[in-house]
């Protein structure tokens, strides 16, 4: 092996790619920091030996958490290979989690009226009564006329708390599980395993966020009741305290099973329907793998996800809003809700509030998958291309 030296950017001893006679030495030992240079190299990393060309990172079998850094200028190595600093899942996911939480909290301010309209429509006609609202637009205008602009933002504090609890838990669990199930060589989990991780994280987040969900449903439903029957919660914390004191702590988790089921259905339906829709569009010959294809596949996925999750959502809404009548709950369980809705209100009443629900879920699905596709393309272009 040729003379050894120190790279200007790191100061860590590495193999010099040229020996004393000026001939290129093909073998390089990677320990701490190494360089990849020339037409071909053989790198030794512990008990593994691999070879590859400059820039072909996918052909160089580096251990997990290694990265190739380009040369900063003349006099520096062409490529520097360094191990990334050791980080646990919580440290790595914290910036992402904070960013996503801010994004969701901000979005909640805009989608809160859609949540309120959806909840009101799902409760409309309950118990074989005449429907209060004919369409989503009729519901929105009726609420504005009767309760004013502030009325459509009723329950905003509960919506914000729901995002703070559900989003942080879901992203935190997903990050930890994804990190734990990533292979020792850096290989990410497969599609089915990632879907399972997403569903598990979603269900766990839904369980943690159920108290805020109960408060949200009750606060958004209050305006449709006669004045003497309204619960009159001042804010989400007042709602949580009163529910616990007046009805018992377990009531805060009323409807947690359908809430968790909805989270699982949404995650599963989004992933499966997007993948299938994208493949169908590409096979049609009218689309190529570009942003238009991703947009159309996302819109279809949002539609399918809305249709699949709404029956579970109406079960959740009815159970979390129900009262005790003569010491007995209005509904025994989720199945009882479905049977009574179909019997007294009609089969298609299971999809009450479809328009505001899709208006809320559709854009989220589109942005999620377009962002994901662009990130995947950027990663392949920057790190996996030759």
């Amino acid at each position: 092996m040729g003379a050894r030296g120190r790279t200007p950017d790191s100061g860590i001893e590495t193999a010099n790619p040229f020996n004393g006679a000026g001939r290129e030495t093909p073998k390089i030992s990677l320990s701490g920091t190494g360089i990849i240079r020339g037409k071909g190299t053989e790198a030794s990393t512990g008990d593994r030996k691999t070879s590859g060309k400059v820039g072909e990172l996918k052909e160089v079998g580096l251990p997990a958490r290694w990265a190739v850094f380009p040369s900063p200028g003349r006099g520096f190595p062409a490529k520097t290979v360094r191990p990334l600093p050791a980080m646990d899942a919580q440290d790595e996911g914290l910036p992402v989690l904070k960013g996503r939480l801010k994004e969701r909290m901000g979005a909640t301010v805009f989608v809160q009226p859609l949540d309120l309209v959806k909840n009101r429509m799902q409760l409309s006609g309950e118990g074989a009564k005449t429907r209060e609202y004919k369409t989503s637009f009729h519901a929105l205008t009726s609420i504005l006329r009767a309760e004013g602009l502030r009325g459509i933002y009723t329950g905003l504090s509960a919506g914000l708390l729901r995002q703070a609890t559900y989003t942080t838990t879901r992203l935190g669990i997903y990050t930890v599980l994804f990190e734990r199930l990533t292979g020792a060589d850096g290989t990410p989990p497969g599609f089915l395993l990632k879907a399972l991780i997403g569903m598990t994280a979603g269900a766990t987040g839904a369980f943690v966020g159920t108290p805020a969900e109960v408060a949200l449903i009750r606060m958004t439903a209050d305006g449709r009741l006669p004045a003497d029957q309204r619960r009159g919660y001042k804010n989400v914390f007042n709602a949580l305290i009163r529910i616990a004191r007046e009805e018992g702590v377990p009531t805060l988790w009323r409807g947690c099973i359908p809430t968790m089921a909805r989270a699982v259905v949404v995650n599963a339906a989004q992933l499966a329907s997007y993948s299938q829709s994208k493949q169908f569009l590409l096979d049609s010959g009218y689309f190529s793998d570009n942003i238009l294809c991703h947009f159309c596949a996302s819109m279809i996925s949002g539609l399918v996800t809305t249709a699949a999750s709404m029956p579970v959502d109406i079960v959740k809404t009815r159970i979390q809003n129900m009262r005790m009548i003569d010491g007995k709950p209005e509904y025994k369980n989720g199945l009882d809700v479905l049977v009574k809705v179909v019997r007294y209100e009609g089969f298609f009443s299971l999809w009450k509030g479809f328009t505001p629900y899709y208006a809320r879920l559709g854009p989220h699905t589109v942005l999620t998958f377009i962002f994901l596709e662009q990130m995947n393309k950027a990663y392949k272009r920057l790190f996996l291309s030759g």
Side-chain angles (χ1 to χ4, degrees), residues 47-274:
D47 59 349
R48 57 168 69 206
K49 289 186 177 181
T50 57
S51 62
K53 297 178 181 178
V54 175
E56 292 185 353
L57 178 59
K58 61 183 178 181
E59 299 297 331
V60 180
L62 299 175
R65 307 201 64 78
W66 284 61
V68 172
F69 295 83
S71 170
R74 293 186 62 184
F76 291 82
K79 295 283 182 181
T80 304
V81 183
R82 301 173 185 163
L84 298 177
M87 297 167 62
D88 59 31
Q90 291 180 340
D91 292 335
E92 189 173 29
L94 189 60
V96 176
L97 189 148
K98 285 180 177 178
R100 291 297 297 275
L101 180 58
K102 289 178 182 177
E103 168 199 321
R104 290 299 185 88
M105 297 283 271
T108 298
V109 176
F110 294 96
V111 302
Q112 179 62 26
L114 296 175
D115 254 342
L116 184 138
V117 171
K118 186 263 296 180
N119 292 339
R120 293 281 183 94
M121 292 189 71
Q122 288 182 331
L123 295 168
S124 174
E126 189 175 15
K129 298 175 184 176
T130 305
R131 286 193 184 188
E132 299 167 56
Y133 311 113
K134 298 175 182 178
T135 64
S136 302
F137 183 73
H138 178 227
L140 180 61
T141 53
S142 298
I143 294 167
L144 282 171
R145 191 180 305 114
E147 302 170 45
L149 187 61
R150 287 188 61 183
I152 64 171
Y153 278 97
T154 301
L156 178 60
S157 60
L160 293 172
L161 182 62
R162 178 181 65 176
Q163 290 300 338
T165 51
Y166 169 71
T167 301
T168 52
T169 303
R170 183 172 66 92
L171 292 179
I173 294 292
Y174 185 89
T175 301
V176 171
L177 291 178
F178 191 92
E179 185 79 11
R180 294 290 179 89
L181 295 173
T182 297
D185 60 349
T187 305
F191 174 78
L192 291 179
L193 190 54
K194 281 191 284 190
L196 183 61
I197 292 172
M199 288 187 283
T200 302
T204 307
F207 178 80
V208 174
T210 296
E213 189 85 42
V214 172
L216 175 64
I217 295 298
R218 293 187 173 195
M219 291 175 77
T220 54
D222 224 25
R224 59 185 286 273
L225 299 171
D228 60 331
Q229 294 181 23
R230 293 178 184 176
R231 294 180 170 104
Y233 300 133
K234 297 177 182 178
N235 52 58
V236 64
F237 299 108
N238 176 252
L240 296 176
I241 292 170
R242 282 186 51 192
I243 291 169
R245 185 173 61 238
E246 297 168 10
E247 304 174 55
V249 173
T251 306
L252 293 173
W253 276 270
R254 178 179 287 172
C256 70
I257 299 300
T259 303
M260 293 167 69
R262 183 190 63 173
V264 170
V265 169
V266 167
N267 277 277
Q270 274 185 332
L271 289 169
S273 60
Y274 176 77

